[in-house]
Amino acid sequence: MTVTMGDNRYGKAGVHLVRVDRRPDGHRVRDLTVRVALEGDFADAHVTGDNALVVATDTMKNTVYAFAREALDGSIEHYAIALASHHLLQRQVHRATVWVDEQAWQAIDTGAGPAADAFARSGMLTRTAMVAVEAAGLVVEAGIEDLAVMKTAGSSFAGFPRDRYTTLAETDDRIMATRVSAT
């Protein structure tokens, strides 16, 4: 029986990046968690122990930080595209995928003037992006996670199927709350 190793994937996860832009009108905080995965021809590393084509996960982590300075001026999607495209420059990498989660921070009014330098994590939602880049093109998925929403009136739940196990009363005015995650 012959065994052939195909393309495989490895990477660096849980890279926490906090960037503070200090501006005269107040600071801006960017809080990201980044994951990078590279797919390609890394068989020699597994078969013969030759790491000549393996991009070190430490290099992936350092690239996340370096690209924060160069490409984190706009959206997390733009940042992820720049980061994934950089890794695709390695000839053995056939596909680079980057996931970015961004936590929001809100300025706290400390009464010290208009320039914000104190923040609280808003906890309102997490912005998400996944970018996969390969020679044939790119895929971008963006979304949100853990957005808590509530409606305190005017939410009805009526007209649903009933059987002998149904005990829930129908209502035309209730509190409705949920968490939304969407891409």
Side-chain angles (χ1 to χ4, degrees):
M1 175 164 112
T2 303
V3 176
T4 304
M5 179 175 278
D7 283 357
N8 55 85
R9 176 170 66 180
Y10 75 102
K12 184 70 173 177
V15 181
H16 192 198
L17 165 67
V18 176
R19 178 178 166 178
V20 178
D21 290 327
R22 292 177 170 87
R23 302 174 181 176
D25 60 338
H27 297 173
R28 180 175 182 207
V29 176
R30 304 290 303 265
D31 182 356
L32 310 179
T33 304
V34 181
R35 180 168 45 130
V36 177
L38 305 181
E39 297 175 47
D41 182 11
F42 306 109
D44 284 349
H46 304 289
V47 176
T48 67
D50 180 359
N51 291 324
L53 297 178
V54 175
V55 177
T57 58
D58 186 66
T59 301
M60 292 178 201
K61 174 192 63 144
N62 292 340
T63 306
V64 165
Y65 296 141
F67 271 71
R69 176 166 284 180
E70 299 171 14
L72 190 55
D73 293 332
S75 69
I76 58 175
E77 294 84 359
H78 172 79
Y79 171 72
I81 290 169
L83 188 57
S85 296
H86 168 78
H87 286 296
L88 198 63
L89 296 175
Q90 300 286 328
R91 65 180 167 79
Q92 72 278 18
V93 177
H94 303 157
R95 180 181 177 103
T97 306
V98 174
W99 294 263
V100 179
D101 294 338
E102 182 171 23
Q103 301 294 326
W105 289 83
Q106 299 292 328
I108 298 172
D109 183 2
T110 61
D117 63 359
F119 295 84
R121 185 121 170 229
S122 76
M124 187 171 165
L125 62 88
T126 301
R127 281 265 299 113
T128 64
M130 184 285 303
V131 170
V133 178
E134 56 187 56
L138 67 99
V139 174
V140 177
E141 291 182 4
I144 58 170
E145 288 183 356
D146 295 327
L147 172 62
V149 294
M150 179 169 45
K151 186 164 176 45
T152 59
S155 175
S156 67
F157 192 67
F160 52 86
R162 302 186 76 81
D163 65 19
R164 64 184 182 159
Y165 303 110
T166 305
T167 59
L168 183 66
E170 294 187 8
T171 183
D172 62 357
D173 191 17
R174 67 177 184 149
I175 294 175
M176 185 279 302
T178 190
R179 285 197 172 280
V180 178
S181 294
T183 55

